[in-house]
Amino acid sequence: MKKLSLLLILCLLLTSVVGCGGEKAVEAPAEPAAETPADPAADPAAEAEEKPVASGKFDDGYPENVLRLGLQGELESADVQLTTADYTIPMNIYDCLFEVQPKDDGSSEIVGNLATDFEVSDDGLVYTMHLREGVKFHNGEILTSDDVLYTVDRMLNPERMARNSDSMSMLKGFDAAVEGEIPTMEGEGIVIIDDNTFEFHLTKAFSPFLANLCVPGFSIYNREAGDAADEAGGGSDNSQFGVLPEYTIGTGAFMMKDWVLNDHIYIEKNPDYWKGPSKLDGILFKIVPDNETRRMMFESGQLDEFDLDDAREQIPYYMESAEWEDNVIIGNRVGTFYYHINESIAPFENVLVRKAMQHAIDKQAILDSLYGGAGEVASGILAPGMMGYNADLPKLEYDPDLARELLAEAGYADGFEMTISQTTDSPNTLSLNEIVQAQLAEFGIEVTIDQMDEASWFDVRRTGALPMYTTSWSADFNDPDNFLYSFFTPANSLNRSFNYYNTDAMARVEAARYMLDHDARMQEYQDLEKLIIQDDAAWIPLFHLKHIWVVSDRVNNYVPFWAGWSGANYWGVYLD
Amino acid sequence: MTKYIIRRILTAIPIMIAVVFIIFMLLQVLPGNPISIMMGEKAKPAVIERVSRELGLYDPVLVRFGRYVWNALHGDFGRSYKLNRQVSDLIKLSFPNTVRLAISASLFAWLMGIPAGIISAIKRNKFVDHFVMAIALVGISSPVFWGAMLLQFVFGFKLKLLPLSGYNSYKHMILPAIILGWASAGSIARMVRSNLLEVMKNDYIRTARSKGLKPWAVVYKHALKNSLMPVVTLMAIQFAGMLSGAVITETVFGIGGIGRLTVDAINNRDMPLLQGATIFSTLIIIIGNMAADIMYSFLDPRIRDR
């Protein structure tokens, strides 16, 4: 007995601690998924254990003709109505009615996708949509107008808590629907004519409406699939749509197959895709939180793509290395970095001071030192690739003499003290702020960087009292409204703490949403951009960054997608 | 004995209740609306408002606490704000990986730490002793992420012997087990060594030696059991700690365990998930400590008689 004491101690320790539930937890995933479809715990881990490992070139057990991509973190949900950020997988498993296509000259256009074409009534209030015929969902159902109605109803049902419901706020009946007063938009914002024709009814002639329909958040769902997913979870408050792969159904080029929490997601080719099947067998998204691990996996061939957003300091290495320079892909980000100036904090009520700041910061130097020069200095609000982007906007050059002149004219020749605020957990923002701090010191402007925890930062910002800060905005949909209306309205200007004083300009931003003449509307946005940024100096525009990836040798036809979000559709990609 | 165990379990209940209350209250007094932080820059005020209302975030805090406890008693720990799944499902999916990691790391720690400690004690002040203790010290004091990246770089990237990331085969388990187990092995070795040296001073060891027993037999048959008692406590607490998640190891090696789940929940102010994960970890720690106490009482009858 004594001889066994050590062994006994170890065994006891192990069994008593693990026995509390640990052992059960280990075994639980081995239950057959088919018997307990409502139990998300059962399915994915079991599949993970069955996978053959370390076979062939890859150690993940999936076929070779699979595109392997790295994800930094777990998805919020594959139900795109429950996210405002995780668009990559939705963009490959669902389709929208329309999509944005980048053109060779860097601009972009809206083209039909699940909708083939449309007509707008003269007053701009009724959009008649024609759906593509014979499009099949992954569950075999055929796409009809009723599926579009279901998608909208689902998005506006308050119990579903959709994160992007406001994108449909121009539809008739929206307010009643989101308050739960009407169960369906049929006969209100949507009128079904037949299986392939329906109308959107708007309360006002909202010009960016079509652009809104291209956002992944408005991917089209299938009613049968949605109902089945609700039933599997025991009700709409625990729907398994976007949770369990077999219930996550779309019309897209790929179908959800495996999802192992915090490990990987696999989507496989949809053989019935209406544009024709992808040349890939599937796409494997490996969830690898550590940037350096992801980089090593890319360089050792376990991943086919590495997003240099995750290792900006490596941009020069990849761009210049003989091994990788031909594999670098550069795309427009359709986004703008800028500083907000709070006009209610002295001395920023003075437009001369704000203009001086615009010329005192050397944006090119920041771009070069922090982002490897990958981008261009901004002079306005809209980013390249955006509808209405004005390449001829006068440049806001770095001009220390002019800045000094403006400061002197404003009565601050010796500078002043000011605060830049930021959240505590953003080292990149801190580097940027520190450079600006040093640059402004040249003008006698003494900057204190005030770091706050994120929650307090958002809280103070909402009250309009947050000092100057930097952030970026990237396009959600391809219309200038997405940029200008998000900032330059009285409510948003207060919410975002810059207290822009020019109410006339803000009224024009509101009015521009409802202008029907497209060319006149774009002209109005360009005029407003000049007025707000260059005449009123409400922002300090910094730069438009490029988005840079490096891909493995076997990847072909990797075209950066038009999107402010970082997702992409990989239908056209193929591997050697 | 049974009475002792029951008593230990009964004392754990009020601790658990207090923990649930404190965690809940602490999370409630954090500033800011979790939905607005979660949705970030793209959040529309009207949507934040509607979602917060639907989630009952505007109810008084005691109402929310009551609702939470009531639902929890019915096995419903809520739905994660960020990951949009049941908290209990998320824990169920993550815990097996954590258990695997904890077991493999502990086995590594025990199999390395205990023999190393014994060798060190026997060869006290010899080169072997200094060498082993130096390695143990490196194990205890080196940062996990540094060791992890080093091993990953050498064995995964350069030599291509082991996978860099993921957790779906025994090969995937080797590096994380070494990294996580190394620090534990270090403290175990040091503790075994000092306890063994202490025990070796006792009279009954001298008696055993004078009987003419071989040195290894003296150590193994007479000294080791007595010297292991505090080590068992250490091992139990270490093991329970590993079961509540090893954030850095899980992050560097891409293991979907409890640690990463919890840290992501903190970063996203995901209240239901954070509450669920913290309560779960507390439970594990309480049980781990209890197991150590109970084992102690097995090994040393004086404790349960007290």
Side-chain angles (χ1 to χ4, degrees):
Chain A
M1 283 300 283
K2 274 184 185 174
K3 285 182 182 176
L4 291 173
S5 59
L6 179 64
L7 194 64
L8 196 69
I9 292 166
L10 297 182
C11 292
L12 266 176
L13 189 65
L14 206 69
T15 46
S16 45
V17 181
V18 179
C20 70
E23 281 188 339
K24 274 185 199 139
V26 179
E27 284 165 12
E31 289 166 21
E35 284 173 29
T36 53
D39 179 11
D43 183 28
E47 289 192 19
E49 295 202 344
E50 285 163 13
K51 292 252 134 52
V53 182
S55 59
K57 194 176 162 222
F58 300 100
D59 65 7
D60 48 42
Y62 287 95
E64 201 151 317
N65 185 29
V66 162
L67 184 69
R68 286 161 167 83
L69 304 172
L71 288 181
Q72 194 170 22
E74 184 53 276
L75 286 195
E76 293 181 29
S77 175
D79 176 354
V80 73
Q81 297 188 349
L82 291 178
T83 177
T84 50
D86 286 337
Y87 287 155
T88 301
I89 286 170
M91 284 169 77
N92 289 283
I93 58 178
Y94 310 119
D95 285 311
C96 293
L97 292 175
F98 293 87
E99 66 176 338
V100 180
Q101 227 162 48
K103 290 195 279 194
D104 290 340
D105 63 357
S107 64
S108 56
E109 60 180 340
I110 293 174
V111 296
N113 203 27
L114 287 183
T116 47
D117 56 290
F118 69 101
E119 297 101 39
V120 196
S121 63
D122 290 342
D123 57 7
L125 292 178
V126 180
Y127 284 69
T128 307
M129 298 281 166
H130 303 284
L131 283 180
R132 192 173 295 279
E133 292 190 18
V135 173
K136 253 194 208 168
F137 283 96
H138 302 152
N139 60 355
E141 295 287 332
I142 301 289
L143 169 76
T144 66
S145 304
D146 180 60
D147 293 313
V148 179
L149 173 67
Y150 172 74
T151 304
V152 175
D153 284 348
R154 195 179 188 281
M155 186 188 271
L156 302 189
N157 178 350
E159 285 173 18
R160 303 272 188 185
M161 296 185 277
R163 311 291 198 258
N164 36 28
S165 48
D166 262 30
S167 60
M168 291 293 119
S169 62
M170 71 300 290
L171 284 187
K172 226 174 115 188
F174 171 83
D175 290 329
V178 289
E179 290 303 324
E181 290 159 13
I182 54 169
T184 174
M185 291 287 272
E186 164 73 80
E188 294 278 339
I190 295 184
V191 172
I192 293 180
I193 310 292
D194 61 40
D195 272 359
N196 292 92
T197 316
F198 64 93
E199 294 167 349
F200 282 119
H201 287 249
L202 277 53
T203 48
K204 267 178 140 178
F206 183 67
S207 299
F209 181 64
L210 211 57
N212 254 296
L213 300 181
C214 305
V215 181
F218 196 64
S219 296
I220 302 302
Y221 290 172
N222 171 243
R223 187 182 292 277
E224 280 74 13
D227 289 347
D230 290 355
E231 205 179 311
S236 62
D237 59 344
N238 188 33
S239 176
Q240 296 303 306
F241 191 91
V243 177
L244 290 184
E246 61 269 37
Y247 292 113
T248 308
I249 302 294
T251 55
F254 298 89
M255 311 186 283
M256 284 286 270
K257 182 75 177 131
D258 302 325
W259 188 351
V260 179
L261 184 74
N262 270 324
D263 194 277
H264 70 267
I265 295 168
Y266 178 62
I267 58 179
E268 70 177 2
K269 162 171 80 176
N270 172 7
D272 298 326
Y273 189 47
W274 59 271
K275 284 185 191 169
S278 163
K279 288 180 187 163
L280 298 169
D281 286 349
I283 308 175
L284 177 64
F285 296 92
K286 297 186 188 180
I287 300 164
V288 184
D290 186 66
N291 293 341
E292 192 52 28
T293 308
R294 228 167 27 253
R295 193 171 78 87
M296 283 195 269
M297 289 175 77
F298 169 71
E299 289 211 1
S300 61
Q302 295 297 317
L303 291 177
D304 288 314
E305 172 218 66
F306 182 61
D307 186 340
L308 291 184
D309 268 6
D310 300 332
R312 293 192 200 279
E313 67 285 358
Q314 305 284 356
I315 291 176
Y317 159 71
Y318 283 108
M319 302 271 272
E320 288 153 24
S321 111
E323 190 185 353
W324 296 113
E325 62 178 347
D326 295 338
N327 298 27
V328 169
I329 310 272
I330 302 177
N332 273 331
R333 184 181 299 273
V334 206
T336 307
F337 277 67
Y338 50 86
Y339 271 101
H340 276 297
I341 304 176
N342 193 333
E343 295 182 18
S344 65
I345 296 177
F348 297 115
E349 76 287 354
N350 188 331
V351 67
L352 294 171
V353 177
R354 299 200 298 272
K355 284 189 173 175
M357 298 281 284
Q358 287 182 331
H359 295 288
I361 295 174
D362 185 353
K363 299 132 196 163
Q364 188 65 48
I366 302 173
L367 190 60
D368 291 343
S369 62
L370 289 183
Y371 302 101
E376 57 189 277
V377 168
S379 297
I381 303 170
L382 299 176
M386 187 82 196
M387 188 192 286
Y389 170 69
N390 182 3
D392 301 327
L393 202 63
K395 299 278 171 263
L396 286 175
E397 304 281 359
Y398 167 60
D399 187 342
D401 295 336
L402 178 59
R404 281 198 184 87
E405 230 169 77
L406 287 162
L407 282 175
E409 197 182 329
Y412 293 98
D414 299 329
F416 52 87
E417 287 178 10
M418 61 168 290
T419 305
I420 292 180
S421 74
Q422 69 160 94
T423 56
T424 40
D425 49 357
S426 4
N428 290 337
T429 308
L430 184 60
S431 313
L432 173 55
N433 284 333
E434 282 172 347
I435 295 179
V436 169
Q437 185 181 38
Q439 290 183 350
L440 292 178
E442 301 283 318
F443 301 87
I445 301 173
E446 204 175 301
V447 176
T448 310
I449 299 172
D450 184 14
Q451 301 195 46
M452 300 161 90
D453 81 276
E454 202 180 12
S456 312
W457 192 86
F458 274 112
D459 254 18
V460 176
R461 189 172 86 157
R462 217 166 30 188
T463 64
L466 197 68
M468 187 162 124
Y469 64 91
T470 180
T471 184
S472 67
W473 185 267
S474 50
D476 298 293
F477 53 89
N478 193 13
D479 193 288
D481 176 73
N482 181 230
F483 276 72
L484 278 97
Y485 191 78
S486 298
F487 298 94
F488 302 103
T489 62
N492 287 333
S493 156
L494 175 73
N495 270 330
R496 296 182 184 277
S497 268
F498 58 102
N499 301 304
Y500 181 44
Y501 77 97
N502 192 341
T503 46
D504 176 51
M506 290 191 281
R508 282 172 61 191
V509 170
E510 170 82 29
R513 314 188 94 188
Y514 309 111
M515 289 171 68
L516 287 176
D517 180 337
H518 178 81
D519 294 337
R521 194 165 151 262
M522 291 305 127
Q523 186 56 52
E524 172 70 351
Y525 280 124
Q526 294 190 348
D527 294 347
L528 279 167
E529 186 179 32
K530 186 173 175 306
L531 169 67
I532 293 169
I533 299 301
Q534 304 211 334
D535 300 346
D536 288 347
W539 270 11
I540 306 172
L542 293 177
F543 26 73
H544 312 291
L545 290 186
K546 293 283 182 195
H547 198 164
I548 307 177
W549 300 265
V550 48
V551 297
S552 67
D553 288 335
R554 64 185 199 133
V555 173
N556 297 291
N557 200 27
Y558 186 104
V559 183
F561 210 68
W562 183 96
W565 56 86
S566 297
N569 179 295
Y570 297 100
W571 170 71
V573 173
Y574 60 94
L575 302 172
D576 289 333
Chain B
M1 189 63 213
T2 322
K3 243 169 91 184
Y4 175 77
I5 296 176
I6 291 173
R7 207 168 62 214
R8 292 292 294 124
I9 292 175
L10 287 180
T11 40
I13 292 173
I15 298 178
M16 204 60 225
I17 293 172
V19 165
V20 173
F21 184 76
I22 293 170
I23 292 171
F24 189 90
M25 289 303 162
L26 280 179
L27 292 181
Q28 303 306 316
V29 298
L30 281 178
N33 179 325
I35 304 304
S36 96
I37 299 158
M38 202 179 73
M39 292 175 64
E41 197 59 30
K42 294 289 182 185
K44 298 224 171 79
V47 179
I48 294 176
E49 193 67 21
R50 276 201 296 276
V51 173
S52 306
R53 208 171 21 164
E54 192 66 31
L55 288 169
L57 292 180
Y58 296 139
D59 295 340
V61 66
L62 284 177
V63 172
R64 275 178 285 153
F65 182 68
R67 191 166 51 214
Y68 184 76
V69 172
W70 179 252
N71 289 337
L73 287 174
H74 290 79
D76 175 9
F77 287 86
R79 197 172 156 106
S80 156
Y81 292 165
K82 186 79 174 180
L83 299 175
N84 293 293
R85 301 186 191 211
Q86 293 296 322
V87 168
S88 44
D89 289 339
L90 289 168
I91 293 176
K92 253 189 268 175
L93 286 171
S94 306
F95 193 55
N97 284 330
T98 300
V99 172
R100 263 174 241 155
L101 179 61
I103 291 179
S104 54
S106 296
L107 282 179
F108 176 82
W110 300 340
L111 294 177
M112 299 301 286
I114 296 174
I118 296 172
I119 292 168
S120 253
I122 295 175
K123 304 279 179 194
R124 188 184 175 191
N125 287 335
K126 302 251 170 63
F127 171 75
V128 179
D129 178 26
H130 294 311
F131 181 71
V132 169
M133 282 304 112
I135 291 188
L137 195 66
V138 172
I140 295 168
S141 49
S142 62
V144 171
F145 69 87
W146 172 78
M149 291 183 77
L150 197 72
L151 288 191
Q152 207 178 31
F153 183 75
V154 174
F155 293 98
F157 187 63
K158 283 286 168 201
L159 302 176
K160 296 198 180 2
L161 290 174
L162 294 167
L164 285 161
S165 178
Y167 213 57
N168 44 25
S169 76
Y170 74 92
K171 269 189 159 185
H172 287 92
M173 295 165 71
I174 297 174
L175 291 182
I178 293 175
I179 277 303
L180 191 58
W182 195 9
S184 305
S187 13
I188 290 172
R190 291 182 71 86
M191 203 166 197
V192 168
R193 177 182 180 272
S194 61
N195 285 319
L196 203 53
L197 289 174
E198 198 61 37
V199 170
M200 296 289 269
K201 288 180 194 155
N202 283 329
D203 290 346
Y204 68 89
I205 299 293
R206 204 182 323 135
T207 313
R209 276 201 182 125
S210 60
K211 281 197 301 190
L213 277 182
K214 287 181 178 153
W216 68 265
V218 175
V219 171
Y220 185 64
K221 287 187 174 168
H222 297 274
L224 192 58
K225 187 182 169 186
N226 281 318
S227 65
L228 274 185
M229 298 247 311
V231 181
V232 168
T233 316
L234 176 72
M235 295 196 305
I237 292 171
Q238 278 179 348
F239 186 73
M242 288 180 195
L243 281 183
S244 56
V247 178
I248 298 170
T249 312
E250 288 178 9
T251 303
V252 175
F253 291 103
I255 302 168
I258 291 286
R260 244 170 84 196
L261 199 67
T262 313
V263 168
D264 287 348
I266 295 171
N267 289 338
N268 298 319
R269 297 289 195 288
D270 191 341
M271 301 291 187
L273 181 55
L274 191 50
Q275 268 152 17
T278 321
I279 290 167
F280 182 75
S281 297
T282 313
L283 192 69
I284 294 289
I285 299 280
I286 290 177
I287 293 172
N289 278 307
M290 217 163 73
D293 285 352
I294 292 169
M295 262 182 302
Y296 230 67
S297 72
F298 263 117
L299 296 171
D300 187 347
R302 287 170 300 179
I303 291 174
R304 61 171 176 264
D305 295 339
R306 233 180 267 156

